[in-house]
Amino acid sequence: MGAVQQVTGAFEELYGTAPDGVWAAPGRVNLIGEHTDYNDGFVMPFALPHVATAAVARRTDGVLRLHSSDVEGGIVELSLDALEPGTDREWTAYPAGVVWALREAGHPVTGADVHLASTVPTGAGLSSSAALEVVIALALNDLYELGLQRWQLARLCQRAENVYVGAPTGIMDQTASACCEAGHALFLDTRDLSQKQIPFDLAAEGMRLLVVDTQVKHAHSGGEYGKRRAGCEKGAALLGVDALRDIAYDDLDASLERLGDEAEVRRLVRHVVTEDHRVERVVALLEAGDTRAIGPVLTEGHASLRDDFQVSCPELDLVVEAANSAGALGARMTGGGFGGSAIVLTEAADVDTITKAVEEAFAAAGFTAPRVFEAVPSAGARQES
């Protein structure tokens, strides 16, 4: 039975009626451009085949009913008028936050019955929360004929996560889930939200991109993420710019000198400016058809995240080290850090060798066995039925 039939059947069992439709929104992997999105910089995500699927029906009585097949417990019933930022610390904060953000922006949402199921791994840095937000936003946009563009839905979902949930995330995850196209990576300028779909069909070139989920859980609303963001804002203020994106790569050394003995801020600034430059290098290489050459740029990005931004962990470092030692083209952590996943670019013929090398390295270190799967650039959010 397919995912659409499963969520439809579960919805009918829960609510005693058929849903008005079924929607899906994917998780994402970020190829390059980490911790640049809240600095008005460049990012390059692509959508995964793993999705959050939602069966949804309209209501007219100001009630939101939520159920997930992935969380123990029955239907959660909420009053739309009672939705307030910071009041919900459960999974329901993500869909409820989207409803709150839509209504706060003046859109006439009068309630919904929702049943959700997701195949996006949680806590793996693959944007399971953004998939949850975007699938709800797209469903309500269609059901209530709100006429919002994909980028507008992404903005509202980001507001839901920032204000309602309380996680200070940038715009990348929601935009990737809403806007990515199959067989492409999305080159996104997070300042003006301009987008360019860059062809990224690794299979056609004899390569694969592996995701290695370290099984180390991370949580964005934790304090470390917020500290990095505040440090970046401090750096921009000290350098007299609106955001670190405004520091030209060629001016980096001079800018770092101006920061004097602000050692921590210097590290953060160096990462963001060099990472924006890495995104531009990867775009240029892909557009030139030189895909294999992006491997060393990925590894360089990991070193910057590990040493300058300091958001890696021993498990992520071990993936990169073991994969590259076993012949990978390049590897790096992906996502916010402090756990989650790493990506490995490899020749198709080397997948088994590299997977085995990573698994053996984890076993030797006494770490929990990682989950390894192939990441195929897939379609963004869509209505399924």
Side-chain angles (χ1 to χ4, degrees):
M1 188 190 292
V4 173
Q5 290 80 9
Q6 279 183 330
V7 296
T8 301
F11 184 97
E12 290 173 353
E13 212 169 285
L14 285 161
Y15 298 115
T17 182
D20 293 332
V22 175
W23 288 261
R28 65 95 190 98
V29 161
N30 192 24
L31 182 63
I32 193 76
E34 218 65 79
H35 290 279
T36 49
D37 61 346
Y38 53 81
N39 289 291
D40 281 3
F42 304 125
V43 294
M44 203 172 183
F46 63 87
L48 287 167
H50 307 71
V51 294
T53 306
V56 185
R58 284 176 52 150
R59 293 181 69 97
T60 57
D61 57 358
V63 171
L64 175 64
R65 293 198 293 180
L66 300 167
H67 185 270
S68 170
S69 63
D70 307 306
V71 182
E72 282 189 25
I75 295 168
V76 177
E77 185 169 315
L78 303 166
S79 164
L80 298 192
D81 291 338
L83 297 180
E84 285 289 336
T87 56
D88 190 348
R89 289 281 171 258
E90 304 300 322
W91 69 271
T92 48
Y94 296 99
V98 171
V99 176
W100 169 83
L102 283 165
R103 282 166 54 86
E104 202 207 26
H107 300 294
V109 176
T110 55
D113 286 339
V114 178
H115 171 66
L116 288 149
S118 180
T119 58
V120 186
T122 58
L126 303 174
S127 296
S128 56
S129 57
L132 203 53
E133 293 156 1
V134 170
V135 75
I136 297 297
L138 183 62
L140 296 177
N141 187 49
D142 289 351
L143 288 175
Y144 284 95
E145 298 179 346
L146 304 179
L148 295 166
Q149 300 295 310
R150 295 299 182 99
W151 67 268
Q152 292 173 302
L153 294 178
R155 272 267 191 246
L156 283 162
C157 290
Q158 183 201 12
R159 179 161 173 73
E161 187 145 354
N162 288 174
V163 180
Y164 196 90
V165 178
T169 53
I171 189 67
M172 173 182 65
D173 297 348
Q174 293 84 0
T175 305
S177 186
C179 301
C180 278
E181 293 180 7
H184 292 76
L186 180 71
F187 177 37
L188 172 67
D189 181 334
T190 65
R191 171 165 281 168
D192 62 13
L193 296 189
S194 59
Q195 303 177 14
K196 189 174 186 184
Q197 301 285 347
I198 308 291
F200 190 54
D201 185 356
L202 293 172
E205 297 187 63
M207 283 174 283
R208 298 288 185 271
L209 191 81
L210 303 177
V211 174
V212 182
D213 176 2
T214 64
Q215 307 282 350
V216 178
K217 300 296 182 190
H218 76 153
H220 261 167
S221 39
E224 290 298 320
Y225 184 96
K227 272 189 217 165
R228 302 300 187 285
R229 186 165 184 161
C232 290
E233 289 166 358
K234 181 179 179 182
L238 289 170
L239 292 167
V241 293
D242 290 337
L244 293 183
R245 181 266 182 68
D246 296 312
I247 306 296
Y249 179 72
D250 290 342
D251 296 337
L252 177 58
D253 288 345
S255 298
L256 293 177
E257 268 183 45
R258 284 174 55 203
L259 290 170
D261 58 2
E262 291 277 0
E264 186 178 347
V265 175
R266 282 165 59 98
R267 284 192 290 95
L268 298 178
V269 170
R270 184 165 53 224
H271 167 73
V272 173
V273 176
T274 58
E275 187 78 348
D276 272 336
H277 186 56
R278 279 186 283 275
V279 178
E280 294 180 297
R281 287 162 62 198
V282 167
V283 170
L285 288 166
L286 291 177
E287 290 189 326
D290 197 3
T291 306
R292 282 172 174 79
I294 74 171
V297 187
L298 301 184
T299 302
E300 207 181 289
H302 182 78
S304 182
L305 287 159
R306 180 191 66 211
D307 302 336
D308 279 343
F309 225 69
Q310 299 186 0
V311 291
S312 190
C313 67
E315 292 86 350
L316 289 168
D317 295 341
L318 186 58
V319 175
V320 173
E321 185 187 319
N324 284 337
S325 296
L329 295 164
R332 76 171 190 92
M333 59 156 280
T334 187
F338 311 108
S341 299
I343 54 173
V344 179
L345 182 68
T346 172
E347 301 289 356
D350 295 336
V351 167
D352 290 346
T353 304
I354 288 166
T355 300
K356 188 178 177 204
V358 170
E359 289 172 344
E360 287 179 349
F362 267 56
F367 294 153
T368 301
R371 176 176 176 232
V372 184
F373 59 91
E374 185 184 342
V376 180
S378 300
R382 64 265 183 194
Q383 184 167 3
E384 299 278 38
S385 77

